[in-house]
Amino acid sequence: MYTEKVMEHFRNPRNVGEIEDADGVGQVGNPVCGDLMKITIKVDNDRISDIKFQTFGCGAAIATSSIVTELAKGLTIEEALKISRQSVAEALGGLPPQKMHCSNLAADGLRRAIVDYLRRNDRIDRIKELGLEKELEKMEKGEMDDHGELCEA
Ligand code: FES
């Protein structure tokens, strides 16, 4: 039911850990399955130069996070925001339908890390331009859950 690529990333996940002096930190959680995700990024000139993840999650969450970190490294923040659960699943050669929601954890964590990077640099205008003000609002309220309804699938 899992592709060889998913299994390979699950067995040997890339970029696991936490960047100590990160420029942005994104955390998301899901109250339904209890999975948690933390993404830390280093950014140079709006380009992601390093990225790491930590998760208390299922196997699919580990594999999708690993591939998200590979996809995002070297991208501009604008390009990285285009990483969707669809592109993550495609990069892994597909995911079982009931596991599609797992790919959201890392993509959402990455989006929050980017918002955090921009807010640390007082670039609220850029957050608005990129349509991320709702995300910022949730982060300021300390809301962790971003996709509870998807995880019920
Ligand atoms: Fe995998 Fe929810 S079961 S993230």
Side-chain angles (χ1 to χ4, degrees):
M1 88 169 191
Y2 287 115
T3 64
E4 191 41 49
K5 190 127 194 220
V6 173
M7 292 308 294
E8 202 272 306
H9 275 269
F10 169 64
R11 285 192 213 104
N12 180 27
R14 279 57 140 188
N15 304 306
V16 176
E18 183 171 0
I19 299 170
E20 289 295 328
D21 54 342
D23 297 316
V25 179
Q27 294 191 76
V28 286
N30 189 300
V32 179
C33 64
D35 288 350
L36 292 170
M37 173 69 58
K38 184 174 186 182
I39 299 267
T40 47
I41 54 174
K42 280 302 276 181
V43 187
D44 291 320
N45 279 331
D46 280 1
R47 196 172 283 279
I48 296 171
S49 56
D50 200 8
I51 174 166
K52 288 196 189 298
F53 81 93
Q54 283 181 321
T55 186
F56 282 106
C58 67
I62 293 169
T64 54
S65 309
S66 171
I67 199 94
V68 163
T69 61
E70 281 201 331
L71 291 172
K73 210 181 263 192
L75 296 184
T76 64
I77 55 171
E78 210 161 343
E79 290 164 343
L81 287 168
K82 294 194 183 116
I83 295 175
S84 65
R85 66 174 172 161
Q86 220 57 46
S87 51
V88 171
E90 269 164 34
L92 286 167
L95 274 173
Q98 73 273 22
K99 286 288 172 182
M100 279 299 284
H101 69 272
C102 306
S103 54
N104 278 5
L105 264 187
D108 289 350
L110 172 59
R111 189 167 43 211
R112 286 193 171 197
I114 290 170
V115 173
D116 186 45
Y117 157 72
L118 291 170
R119 92 173 151 184
R120 286 184 195 202
N121 289 283
D122 291 323
R123 292 172 63 192
I124 304 302
D125 285 355
R126 190 73 182 125
I127 289 176
K128 287 186 184 154
E129 270 168 31
L130 293 168
L132 296 168
E133 59 267 63
K134 279 220 171 96
E135 200 64 44
L136 175 64
E137 229 173 83
K138 283 187 203 163
M139 288 163 68
E140 309 244 286
K141 281 194 212 148
E143 285 178 24
M144 285 287 281
D145 168 35
D146 202 30
H147 52 280
E149 77 285 0
L150 287 166
C151 231
E152 282 170 35

